[in-house]
Amino acid sequence: MAMAGAKTIAICQLGGEFHTENDGSLSYRGGDAHAIDIDDQVNFADFKMEVAEMFNCGGGGGATFNSNISLKYFLPGNQKTLITISNDKDFQRMLRFHSHSLTIDVYVFIDQPPLPDFSSFPASRSSRTTLSEAQQLPPATDHVPDAEGEDVIDAHHDITLADIVDDTTSQVDIHIDLPQEMSPLLPLMASTSSNEKHHVKAVEQWQDTITGVGQRFSNVNEFRESLRRYAIAHQFAFKYKKNDSHRVTVKCKAEGCPWRIHASRLSDTQLICIKKMNPTHTCDGSVLTTGNQATRSWVASIIKEKLKVFPNYKPKDIVNDIKQEYGVQLNYFQAWRGKEIAKEQLQGSFKDAYNQLPLLCDQIVETNPGSLATFTTKEEDSSFQRLFVSFHASLSGFLQGCRPLLFLDSISLQSKYQGALLAATAADGNDEVFPVAFAVVDTETDENWHWFLLQLKTALPTSCPLTFVADRQKGLKESIAEVFEGSHHGYCLRYLTEQLFRELKGQFSHEVKRLIIEDLYGAAYAPRPEAFQQCIESIKSISPKTYSWIMHSEPQNWANSFFQGARYNHMTSNFGELFYSWMSDADELPITQMVDVLRGKIAELVYARRLNGDQWLTKLTPSMEEKLDKENLSIGALQVLLSAGNTFEVRGESVAEVVDVDHWDCSCKGWQLSGLPCSHALAVIGCIGRSPYDYCSRYFSTDCYRLTYSESVHPIPQVERPSERKPLNGGVVTITPPPTRRPPGRPTTKKYVTQETMKRQLQCSRCKGLGHNKSTCKENL
C-alpha cells in the first residue's frame, strides 16, 4: 500500500460473464457486486471468508464452501490476464499493485461444490440412494499409441462412490441420512477426499455417449470420439481390434474381459451404427479397470472454448484443469500439442494461410485504394518468401505531414514458420511513431532488405531527398544508396554501439563500457566538430583501440557535426518498438491474421490520434510547444546586437553566437538540428518583432499533424477461401509455407535497449552523486 493502514475498496463481483473485446481485453458483464474495505492489515483467509458470507455462498456462515471460492483480479493496465489470489502473499501483492487506486475489482468464481463425506453419516432408511461400489484401482501405466496414429494418454486414479457406472454393473444399496441444512439439489455422490471428485464432470457429461446396439453416428470419427468420452466417464481403457473408415471393433484392454463393441457403416451412407455390444466388464467391474484414453484432438476439443476467452491459457494450467475435471493426467507436451491443435481450429491453418495471400493482397488494395500490397515466392518450390504492405492512409500521412525521415528496423517472429518483420516508420509532428510500411519475410537477409526498399520506393513517389536512420549492416548501406539515390543514411547509434562491443568483446569492464558509451553519445550529439573531437579524445584516453575503431566507423554517417542529412536529433532506429509491441499479440497467428491484426492496430492509432489532434488549440503540437517554451526560458540572459542586415550577434555569459534569420541558421547549430528556433534565434526574432511560429518547421504545426492522420485505414473482409495465383505463363501455383520451422523450446525474446538505458549513469550509494560509486567516492564521512 502507499501508506500503512490506508483503506482500499474491493469491488467483489459474482455471477457475471467475461467477454473478449476486439483488442483481446476482457470485460465483465452482469452479475452482482458488493464492496469491502480492505487494507494491508487484512489477511487473505479473513477476506475470503467475508466474501463467502457476503454472497451467501458459504452454506452456514461461509465455512462450508469457503475452500471452493476462487478470487481473481487484473493487473493495472492489463485487462487480458486474470491473476489468481491463493494466499496471503498473493493478496498483499494485489494491494501493492493497486497501491495508487481507490478501488480494486475482484472477481469471485464458485468452483464445483464439495461432495458430502457420507462415511460420517449415521445409517438410516429415511433417505435412500443407489451408488456404485467403491474399490481401489491398479497403478498407472504409460501412454500408448492409438490406432488413429495419435498419442494416447493412459491415466489412472482411485475410484470411489463418486464414480457413476453403467447400468449393467452390479449395484448395492447404501442408506444415509442427509443433513437438513444440505440442499436437496446437490448430487448424491460419495467422496472421501478432494482429489477423488474431479471425475464428476466427465461422468455427468459423457456417461451416456454410448447407449448400445442400434445407436447411430454421422461418421466414424464421431463414433471414435464418443467412445473415448464413454471410456473416460466409466474409467476403463480399450484397444482397437479393427479400425478403418467403415468398421470399428473395440475390446476392453483388460485381459479376458468380455466388454467389446462393434460398429460399421450402413450401406450407401456415411452413417456408423453399433451392431454388437457386450456392456459387461468381468475385470472386477468397470470401475476397477482404470485406463483413460485421450488424444491430442480430444485435448483440443476440451480446451478450445476456454482458449477463446483466455488466449494465454498455459499448458501447465491445461494439465491441472484436465486432471481436476476429467481425471486424465497429461504431461506438458501433450497439453502443448493439444493447445496448438485448438489454436489452429480457432484461428485457421497456418499452412493454408499462405495460400490465401493473393486474395488478401487484392482485398487490401480494393478496400484501401492507393495502398500497395504484394508478395513473392521462391522459384524452385513456390514457397513463401516475402510480403510487403503499406496502406494508403500511411503513405498519404507520411507525404503530407511527416518529415522526410524514415526509420528502418526488424523484428524476429515467433510464429510456426518463424521469419522476420521489416518495418519502416516515421516521426509525426508530435515526435510520435507513425507506421509507414511493413513486410513479412522468410529470413532477414540483404536481398530481402533490398526488395523491401524497392517496394518502399514504389509506394513513395517523392522527389524530396529522404534521410534514413538504420543499421549500417544487413546490406542496408549499399541498398539505401542504390534504391534511394541522393538520400542520406544515418547509422543507428544503438546498433553501432552493439557492433563496437561485439567486435571488441571481453576487453572492457562494465564501468569502462559505461564511460565509452557516454562519450560516444556525446560525440554523436555534439553540434560542432570541436565538441565532437573533445569527446573522441576522452575515449582515446580510455582505449586507443576503441578510438581507432570509432574513427573508422564513418562518423560522417552518425555524428551531428558531420552529417549532411536532417535527422532532427533522432539518433536511433528504435521507432520500430511500436511494431515490436504490436507483434506480441500477432506473431503467433497465421500470416493473414497477423497482417489483419497489424492493420487493426494502425487503424486504431490513426483514429485515436485524429481525435486527439482535433482538440488541440495551439499552433504547434504539444511536444513542440513544450520544447519552444523551454528555449524561451533562456532568452533573459542573452543580449542581441542589432544589425542593419539579417545577421545578428547574440552574446551570452561566456560565448557569442551568430544568427542568420533569413537562412534559419545559428552558429550553435541547435536551430538547424532540431527544426525549432534555439534560444539565440528566439532572442533575435523577438527583437525584430516577428512571431517565433514563422520560424518553426512546418512539420511541427498542428495543421500538418492533422494532415498526417486525415485518412483512415479501412477493414478487410475476412479471407475464408484459399486462393491460387495465376502466373503469366499460365497454370496455377500453390503458395506453400517457408521451409523454416520454429525449433522446440521456449523462444527467445528480442529486447530493445533504449538510448536512456545505454546512457544510464552510476549513482553513488553513499553521497547519491552521479558518475561514481562508493568505492571511489571522495565524500568525507
Side-chain angles (χ1 to χ4, degrees):
M1 301 296 292
M3 295 178 59
K7 292 287 185 181
T8 302
I9 300 175
I11 309 297
C12 304
Q13 304 183 58
L14 171 68
E17 293 182 350
F18 282 101
H19 296 266
T20 306
E21 306 298 340
N22 293 334
D23 62 354
S25 62
L26 301 176
S27 62
Y28 194 76
R29 303 175 189 174
D32 195 10
H34 292 281
I36 301 177
D37 285 337
I38 57 175
D39 56 31
D40 56 357
Q41 304 302 313
V42 176
N43 62 50
F44 175 61
D46 292 342
F47 176 70
K48 192 173 182 181
M49 181 68 72
E50 188 170 353
V51 171
E53 293 175 350
M54 177 176 290
F55 287 104
N56 196 26
C57 55
T64 305
F65 294 165
N66 190 21
S67 62
N68 293 277
I69 293 177
S70 297
L71 304 178
K72 301 177 186 290
Y73 69 98
F74 287 114
L75 293 175
N78 181 352
Q79 290 291 123
K80 297 183 180 181
T81 305
L82 284 166
I83 308 299
T84 301
I85 314 172
S86 303
N87 49 45
D88 277 326
K89 287 186 177 180
D90 292 342
F91 185 69
Q92 294 300 322
R93 194 175 292 117
M94 177 188 73
L95 294 178
R96 288 197 300 272
F97 288 150
H98 294 82
S99 59
H100 299 291
S101 303
L102 296 177
T103 62
I104 306 173
D105 289 321
V106 178
Y107 303 97
V108 184
F109 299 84
I110 304 298
D111 299 336
Q112 179 71 30
L115 301 174
D117 186 355
F118 292 107
S119 62
S120 63
F121 296 157
S124 170
R125 296 182 180 274
S126 59
S127 181
R128 177 172 178 159
T129 185
T130 301
L131 299 171
S132 301
E133 188 173 20
Q135 302 197 35
Q136 188 69 25
L137 299 175
T141 60
D142 296 332
H143 68 84
V144 295
D146 188 356
E148 299 174 58
E150 294 199 69
D151 289 340
V152 176
I153 302 97
D154 197 9
H156 307 295
H157 63 279
D158 295 341
I159 301 298
T160 68
L161 294 175
D163 298 290
I164 299 179
V165 298
D166 194 273
D167 292 339
T168 59
T169 306
S170 59
Q171 300 172 338
V172 295
D173 288 342
I174 297 178
H175 312 291
I176 58 176
D177 281 332
L178 295 179
Q180 292 183 357
E181 66 270 18
M182 176 171 286
S183 168
L185 299 178
L186 290 178
L188 300 179
M189 302 180 190
S191 176
T192 58
S193 72
S194 60
N195 292 331
E196 295 172 343
K197 58 179 180 285
H198 54 249
H199 191 54
V200 173
K201 184 172 183 178
V203 171
E204 291 177 343
Q205 292 181 345
W206 298 337
Q207 63 176 341
D208 294 325
T209 53
I210 299 294
T211 57
V213 175
Q215 185 180 2
R216 298 182 182 183
F217 303 87
S218 58
N219 53 56
V220 70
N221 291 328
E222 182 184 339
F223 171 70
R224 294 190 190 111
E225 185 63 26
S226 298
L227 187 58
R228 282 194 191 92
R229 297 185 176 190
Y230 180 83
I232 290 171
H234 292 278
Q235 287 291 276
F236 71 93
F238 61 83
K239 60 182 179 181
Y240 290 96
K241 300 296 289 182
K242 294 180 180 178
N243 185 25
D244 53 41
S245 61
H246 61 278
R247 60 180 178 178
V248 178
T249 302
V250 179
K251 69 182 296 293
C252 180
K253 191 176 181 181
E255 190 67 31
C257 180
W259 186 95
R260 65 175 54 235
I261 190 170
H262 173 75
S264 60
R265 183 189 297 176
L266 295 177
S267 59
D268 300 327
T269 71
Q270 293 295 320
L271 297 177
I272 295 293
C273 179
I274 297 177
K275 302 294 182 63
K276 296 179 182 179
M277 179 177 179
N278 184 344
T280 304
H281 285 274
T282 59
C283 48
D284 296 324
S286 63
V287 295
L288 296 182
T289 306
T290 59
N292 288 335
Q293 293 197 347
T295 63
R296 290 170 293 172
S297 59
W298 175 82
V299 174
S301 67
I302 294 299
I303 68 172
K304 184 163 64 174
E305 292 303 316
K306 191 168 184 177
L307 199 61
K308 286 182 182 179
V309 182
F310 301 102
N312 296 323
Y313 196 14
K314 298 180 180 179
K316 67 177 183 179
D317 295 328
I318 294 172
V319 171
N320 293 333
D321 290 349
I322 289 185
K323 174 64 176 176
Q324 291 178 8
E325 296 177 4
Y326 301 99
V328 177
Q329 182 64 58
L330 309 178
N331 62 41
Y332 181 92
F333 291 102
Q334 290 162 339
W336 181 84
R337 286 194 293 265
K339 179 182 176 180
E340 290 295 300
I341 293 174
K343 284 170 58 178
E344 187 158 308
Q345 291 173 354
L346 292 172
Q347 301 167 353
S349 169
F350 282 83
K351 183 178 179 180
D352 291 345
Y354 288 98
N355 214 31
Q356 296 167 351
L357 287 178
L359 178 60
L360 175 67
C361 292
D362 291 344
Q363 289 180 329
I364 289 175
V365 176
E366 181 180 347
T367 56
N368 292 267
S371 302
L372 178 60
T374 185
F375 69 96
T376 65
T377 58
K378 293 182 179 179
E379 295 181 359
E380 59 270 21
D381 57 3
S382 297
S383 63
F384 170 80
Q385 187 175 20
R386 47 208 175 195
L387 166 72
F388 178 92
V389 176
S390 184
F391 294 99
H392 171 68
S394 294
L395 298 173
S396 173
F398 175 76
L399 294 173
Q400 291 190 80
C402 291
R403 288 159 272 182
L405 174 66
L406 285 171
F407 305 86
L408 304 179
D409 210 346
S410 63
I411 301 163
S412 296
L413 300 179
Q414 308 301 335
S415 63
K416 184 174 182 178
Y417 295 100
Q418 295 188 295
L421 182 103
L422 313 182
T425 55
D428 66 19
N430 202 38
D431 257 353
E432 295 175 309
V433 185
F434 180 72
V436 177
F438 64 90
V440 181
V441 296
D442 55 350
T443 54
E444 185 180 5
T445 61
D446 296 357
E447 181 188 359
N448 282 340
W449 267 117
H450 186 83
W451 179 84
F452 177 79
L453 291 172
L454 286 174
Q455 308 312 309
L456 193 60
K457 175 72 172 179
T458 302
L460 294 173
T462 176
S463 58
C464 178
L466 297 176
T467 296
F468 291 88
V469 178
D471 193 359
R472 66 172 180 170
Q473 297 183 320
K474 306 168 186 174
L476 285 171
K477 178 182 176 181
E478 296 77 14
S479 294
I480 290 174
E482 179 183 339
V483 177
F484 289 90
E485 188 176 355
S487 63
H488 303 281
H489 181 187
Y491 296 160
C492 171
L493 206 54
R494 172 167 56 89
Y495 283 121
L496 188 71
T497 306
E498 290 177 359
Q499 185 185 2
L500 166 64
F501 291 116
R502 186 167 56 248
E503 295 187 9
L504 303 179
K505 184 178 180 181
Q507 299 187 22
F508 309 108
S509 66
H510 178 78
E511 175 67 8
V512 171
K513 284 184 178 180
R514 182 187 64 81
L515 294 174
I516 291 175
I517 289 174
E518 286 183 0
D519 287 333
L520 179 61
Y521 271 74
Y525 280 93
R528 290 182 285 205
E530 53 269 26
F532 170 87
Q533 191 61 36
Q534 183 179 356
C535 293
I536 291 299
E537 290 296 328
S538 178
I539 293 176
K540 186 177 182 180
S541 67
I542 298 173
S543 169
K545 192 171 184 179
T546 303
Y547 168 83
S548 177
W549 189 97
I550 291 175
M551 294 306 294
H552 286 86
S553 65
E554 302 167 300
Q556 67 272 17
N557 287 90
W558 54 266
N560 272 339
S561 54
F562 306 112
F563 188 65
Q564 297 300 310
R567 283 187 300 185
Y568 298 87
N569 263 332
H570 286 288
M571 312 298 286
T572 64
S573 60
N574 57 1
F575 265 36
E577 288 186 23
L578 177 71
F579 275 97
Y580 180 72
S581 63
W582 286 348
M583 289 309 297
S584 62
D585 296 330
D587 68 351
E588 292 191 3
L589 294 173
I591 187 170
T592 51
Q593 294 184 38
M594 180 194 304
V595 171
D596 196 53
V597 167
L598 293 178
R599 179 210 59 80
K601 297 289 187 181
I602 296 173
E604 291 173 6
L605 180 143
V606 168
Y607 178 74
R609 291 185 181 172
R610 182 191 305 144
L611 293 180
N612 201 26
D614 287 344
Q615 299 174 7
W616 295 343
L617 301 178
T618 54
K619 288 188 177 181
L620 301 183
T621 63
S623 69
M624 297 305 164
E625 286 280 357
E626 184 179 349
K627 290 181 179 180
L628 198 62
D629 291 341
K630 188 176 180 179
E631 292 292 334
N632 267 312
L633 295 177
S634 305
I635 293 179
L638 300 176
Q639 180 184 5
V640 179
L641 301 182
L642 297 178
S643 170
N646 292 313
T647 301
F648 301 83
E649 182 180 353
V650 181
R651 294 181 179 177
E653 294 181 357
S654 58
V655 296
E657 304 290 355
V658 177
V659 176
D660 185 340
V661 178
D662 286 347
H663 294 90
W664 291 24
D665 182 271
C666 179
S667 59
C668 77
K669 301 300 180 182
W671 195 357
Q672 300 93 302
L673 291 175
S674 68
L676 289 173
C678 60
S679 57
H680 313 104
L682 288 173
V684 172
I685 292 169
C687 285
I688 62 178
R690 304 279 183 86
S691 170
Y693 296 114
D694 295 336
Y695 295 90
C696 296
S697 171
R698 73 174 185 88
Y699 299 113
F700 301 152
S701 68
T702 298
D703 290 339
C704 213
Y705 181 91
R706 289 169 180 162
L707 287 174
T708 304
Y709 297 100
S710 60
E711 300 288 341
S712 299
V713 179
H714 303 295
I716 304 171
Q718 184 177 2
V719 180
E720 297 180 348
R721 59 181 177 83
S723 179
E724 294 173 329
R725 189 184 188 195
K726 296 182 179 179
L728 297 177
N729 58 357
V732 173
V733 175
T734 300
I735 305 170
T736 60
T740 55
R741 291 292 297 269
R742 183 172 59 197
R746 180 170 295 178
T748 57
T749 301
K750 179 179 179 181
K751 295 183 179 180
Y752 284 88
V753 182
T754 64
Q755 171 185 324
E756 290 72 17
T757 301
M758 298 180 70
K759 295 179 67 178
R760 178 179 62 85
Q761 293 187 357
L762 282 179
Q763 183 176 25
C764 178
S765 60
R766 177 178 297 166
C767 70
K768 307 303 180 184
L770 297 176
H772 65 277
N773 56 27
K774 67 177 183 180
S775 64
T776 57
C777 182
K778 298 179 181 179
E779 185 85 5
N780 292 325
L781 298 177

